[in-house]
């Protein structure tokens, strides 16, 4: 069965909520998120794609999170809490104080809620705690203990807590009752604000397109609570870690450092861990992208002591068995897959056997000949075409950095367009036979150097990009609506 999002030609915009205007430090789920949904609808788009919504480590990477199931409390809109009567006011602060300020305001809202919430709101909170207990209780304790130990990772905690000895866990829960209640409230507020925003989007025929990393962070509640599913030693340290070999982005490859899965144990219990994970994602999104799909066919396994990803090896994974179990459980799989990098016929076979659309990146299309699979004349209907992704530079910056002869090749292929970049690329994506076209917000704003979201293989200066409404050209909405209509999207 084809997911509903792929039943007709569509177009969408890639923008993480943290890149929205408004909010202190990062964008949030407040008024600008609703304005962005309205902008999409008025422009003719029907999909909003974003990055993972999970709480991040200090580096801010959505792909390196503290929990697979929790939402990032830093995306909570304080203005919405004021509107709901749970927060008296929301004073502006500088970016350097934004994180502490937002969490302190949510804590104040929790105190107000505890004293003055309506019976209906109290019942909603209690129902949320019961419904999400399978992950929420462990996450609340993990967050509190992490704070108690000054941000140390779980494998650095005292051994009884590191190894989850029952008496140590019970004592911690008894000691931190109020602190755990605060974490539960943060997650309740995030869920309320997210579902309200999703309803606003769906009412305007905007589908929400999420993103799921294949791997999880070593320092996460998921690894702490379910060590049996990961290749760890007795001290909780990985014996091997994930990454990718040398490629387009890095001569040394990328050593991500995530622990690798103990696939035999996951398969032995019917992949229950993955079913739980996708259950959470499908509650939030209408469509989900799986990052690094090729890892379900084979993973690049790097010995944990290696400093780079060069000396790794490919190790087979039970992808077919996994997706068969997911298909049986969910029936329809509203998934698209990131099938970039060193892709083998076996990866294509796994993707196609379950009818999963892959990705076509136009910025990758012009570094070889006419058989390049990313060139528009090579596209498949069952695919998602992008001008670029969050891992690419903006299209304008990419084009300006090309050698003159390569620029000429791009321009000649596109028919010597009169429009300035990136608009010819936007048109090529919209004209593609790919059923879904996704355009990064940076390209719609025709932004150049300095507006990149992420540079793979680096840890500094990423995930901070934000736009302003003043960057939108006065005729942008009308221009986009005409283009989307012209190309049947």
């Amino acid at each position: 069965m084809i997911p509903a999002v792929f039943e007709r030609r569509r177009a969408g915009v890639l923008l993480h909520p943290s890149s929205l205007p408004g909010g202190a430090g990062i964008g949030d789920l407040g008024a600008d998120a609703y304005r962005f949904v309205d902008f999409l609808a008025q422009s003719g788009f029907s999909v909003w794609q974003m990055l993972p919504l999970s709480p991040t480590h200090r580096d801010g990477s959505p792909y390196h999170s503290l929990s697979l199931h929790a939402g990032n409390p830093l995306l909570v809109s304080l203005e919405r809490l004021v509107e709901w009567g749970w927060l008296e006011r929301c004073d502006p602060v500088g970016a350097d104080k934004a994180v502490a300020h937002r969490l302190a305001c949510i804590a104040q809202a929790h105190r107000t809620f505890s004293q003055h919430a309506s019976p209906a709101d109290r019942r909603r909170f209690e129902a949320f705690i019961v419904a999400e207990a399978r992950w929420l209780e462990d996450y609340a304790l993990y967050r509190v203990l992490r704070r108690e130990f000054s941000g140390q990772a779980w494998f650095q905690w005292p051994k009884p807590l590191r190894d989850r000895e029952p008496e140590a866990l019970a004592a911690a829960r008894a000691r931190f009752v109020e602190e755990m209640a605060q974490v539960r409230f943060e997650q309740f507020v995030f869920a309320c604000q997210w579902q309200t925003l999703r309803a606003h989007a769906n009412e305007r025929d905007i589908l929400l397109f999420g993103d799921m990393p294949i791997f999880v962070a070593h320092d996460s509640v998921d690894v702490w609570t379910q060590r049996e599913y990961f290749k760890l030693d007795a001290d909780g340290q990985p014996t091997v870690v994930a990454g990718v070999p040398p490629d387009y982005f890095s001569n040394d490859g990328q050593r991500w450092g995530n622990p690798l899965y103990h696939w035999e144990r996951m398969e032995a219990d019917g992949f229950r861990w993955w079913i739980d994970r996708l259950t959470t994602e499908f509650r939030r999104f209408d469509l989900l992208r799986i990052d690094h799909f090729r890892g379900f066919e084979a993973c690049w396994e790097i010995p944990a002591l290696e400093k780079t990803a060069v000396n790794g090896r490919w190790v087979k994974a039970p992808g077919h068995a996994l997706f068969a179990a997911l298909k049986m459980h969910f029936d329809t799989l509203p998934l698209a897959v990131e099938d970039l990098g060193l892709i083998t016929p076996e990866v294509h076979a796994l993707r196609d056997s379950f009818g999963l659309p892959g990705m076509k990146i136009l910025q990758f299309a012009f570094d070889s000949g006419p058989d390049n699979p990313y060139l528009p004349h090579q596209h498949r209907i069952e695919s998602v075409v992008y001008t670029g992704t969050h891992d690419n530079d903006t299209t304008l910056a990419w084009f300006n950095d090309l050698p003159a002869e390569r620029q000429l090749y791009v321009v000649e292929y596109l028919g010597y367009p009169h429009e300035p970049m990136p608009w010819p690329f936007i048109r090529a994506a919209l004209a593609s036979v790919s059923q879904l076209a996704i355009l990064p917000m940076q390209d719609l704003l025709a932004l150049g150097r300095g507006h990149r979201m992420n540079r793979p293989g680096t840890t500094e200066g990423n995930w901070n990009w934000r736009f302003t409404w003043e960057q939108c050209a006065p005729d942008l909405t009308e221009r986009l609506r005409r283009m989307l209509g012209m190309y049947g999207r």
Side-chain angles (χ1 to χ4, degrees):
M1 183 182 298
I2 300 174
V5 68
F6 290 110
E7 289 178 350
R8 65 175 177 87
R9 286 170 63 80
R10 295 178 182 271
V13 176
L14 172 59
L15 181 84
H16 197 50
S18 66
S19 295
L20 288 162
I26 63 173
D28 57 32
L29 306 181
D32 286 283
Y34 289 76
R35 183 177 175 182
F36 183 70
V37 168
D38 295 341
F39 162 78
L40 294 177
Q42 292 161 9
S43 301
F45 292 106
S46 58
V47 176
W48 178 4
Q49 183 175 359
M50 60 195 69
L51 311 183
L53 293 173
S54 304
T56 68
H57 289 74
R58 289 184 178 179
D59 64 2
S61 171
Y63 296 90
H64 189 244
S65 70
L66 300 169
S67 167
L68 300 175
H69 298 280
N72 187 350
L74 299 183
L75 295 175
V76 166
S77 166
L78 302 182
E79 290 80 5
R80 282 284 182 263
L81 296 181
V82 173
E83 292 173 11
W84 294 350
W86 299 351
L87 187 63
E88 183 177 344
R89 67 180 187 274
C90 174
D91 298 325
V93 298
D96 58 327
K97 300 179 180 179
V99 171
H101 175 70
R102 199 180 294 258
L103 294 178
C105 286
I106 298 174
Q108 178 57 54
H110 182 211
R111 290 189 287 271
T112 301
F113 182 93
S114 299
Q115 297 169 6
H116 304 294
S118 68
D121 284 339
R122 291 181 189 276
R123 287 193 296 270
R124 288 173 62 206
F125 187 24
E126 292 165 1
F128 172 81
I129 292 173
V130 172
E132 307 300 332
R134 74 188 193 284
W135 62 267
L136 182 58
E137 294 308 298
D138 282 324
Y139 174 68
L141 182 59
Y142 167 81
R143 274 277 308 278
V144 169
L145 288 174
R146 220 170 166 275
R147 191 178 307 143
E148 172 72 5
F149 296 117
S150 303
Q152 286 186 325
W154 64 265
F155 44 83
Q156 298 171 313
W157 297 348
K159 189 173 183 296
L161 289 170
R162 183 197 73 182
D163 294 342
R164 295 181 58 79
E165 295 178 9
E167 291 184 1
L169 295 180
R173 292 190 181 101
R175 179 182 174 192
F176 296 113
V177 172
E178 292 301 318
E179 292 86 349
M180 289 179 64
Q182 168 61 24
V183 177
R184 295 188 198 101
F185 181 75
E186 289 175 3
Q187 290 303 304
F188 170 66
V189 169
F190 174 88
C192 289
Q193 293 195 357
W194 177 256
Q195 293 303 332
T196 303
L197 177 62
R198 183 179 182 183
H200 179 83
N202 289 169
E203 287 169 2
R204 286 150 183 79
D205 295 323
I206 303 295
L207 303 178
L208 299 184
F209 187 180
D211 199 340
M212 186 183 77
I214 180 175
F215 299 119
V216 301
H218 183 202
D219 181 16
S220 66
V221 64
D222 312 284
V223 179
W224 177 52
T225 58
Q226 296 176 297
R227 284 167 61 172
E228 67 273 17
Y229 289 135
F230 301 89
K231 293 183 178 180
L232 307 176
D233 63 20
D235 294 326
Q237 295 296 325
T239 57
V240 288
V241 297
V244 290
D247 61 7
Y248 171 89
F249 290 112
S250 173
N251 291 330
D252 290 332
Q254 298 176 47
R255 185 191 183 280
W256 297 332
N258 309 77
L260 287 169
Y261 295 119
H262 201 308
W263 282 113
E264 294 84 358
R265 292 182 184 174
M266 288 185 158
E267 189 168 8
D269 69 1
F271 299 105
R272 172 55 53 185
W273 188 89
W274 284 97
I275 290 172
D276 286 347
R277 186 176 181 186
L278 264 71
T279 296
T280 293
E281 298 291 358
F282 289 157
R283 287 176 180 173
R284 288 180 179 157
F285 295 106
D286 303 290
L287 176 67
L288 190 67
R289 186 193 84 128
I290 298 182
D291 192 48
H292 194 60
F293 175 75
R294 74 104 53 245
F296 290 107
E297 195 281 323
C299 299
W300 187 248
E301 184 179 276
I302 307 164
L305 296 179
E306 291 286 338
K307 300 300 182 183
T308 73
V310 173
N311 295 320
R313 66 183 184 120
W314 290 110
V315 177
K316 289 291 184 179
H320 195 280
L322 169 62
F323 283 93
L326 296 175
K327 185 75 166 62
M328 180 174 294
H329 183 85
F330 293 106
D331 188 23
T332 300
L333 293 178
L335 300 173
V337 301
E338 184 264 291
D339 53 351
L340 310 175
L342 297 174
I343 304 302
T344 64
E346 291 82 1
V347 178
H348 287 155
L350 176 62
R351 178 197 66 194
D352 295 343
S353 64
F354 292 95
L356 303 176
M359 295 173 60
K360 303 296 182 185
I361 312 299
L362 293 185
Q363 288 188 25
F364 295 166
F366 299 95
D367 58 2
S368 57
D371 59 346
N372 186 309
Y374 301 111
L375 285 167
H377 71 267
Q378 297 282 7
H379 290 183
R380 299 156 38 113
I381 292 176
E382 303 85 4
S383 65
V384 185
V385 60
Y386 295 76
T387 52
T389 74
H390 65 279
D391 283 334
N392 295 100
D393 208 340
T394 71
T395 293
L396 180 58
W398 167 84
F399 181 77
N400 287 340
D401 285 344
L402 290 178
E405 65 274 12
R406 189 61 61 182
Q407 287 185 347
L408 180 60
Y409 173 42
V410 173
V411 169
E412 183 178 7
Y413 181 90
L414 296 175
Y416 298 100
H418 297 292
E419 293 175 302
M421 279 292 178
W423 289 101
F425 248 48
I426 291 173
R427 284 191 181 276
L430 295 177
S432 166
V433 297
S434 295
Q435 199 75 331
L436 176 59
I438 298 291
L439 309 172
M441 188 64 177
Q442 292 97 318
D443 286 353
L444 297 185
L445 301 177
L447 298 176
R449 184 181 298 279
H451 295 276
R452 187 171 187 159
M453 187 64 164
N454 177 52
R455 187 181 297 275
T458 67
T459 57
E460 300 294 330
N462 297 320
W463 317 112
N464 296 320
W465 180 75
R466 300 177 73 179
F467 84 96
T468 66
W469 291 111
E470 289 73 25
Q471 292 171 316
C472 296
D475 64 343
L476 180 61
T477 298
E478 179 58 27
R479 183 178 192 177
L480 291 169
R481 176 172 285 280
R482 286 178 59 83
M483 290 179 68
L484 268 60
M486 182 178 296
Y487 296 112
R489 297 188 184 276

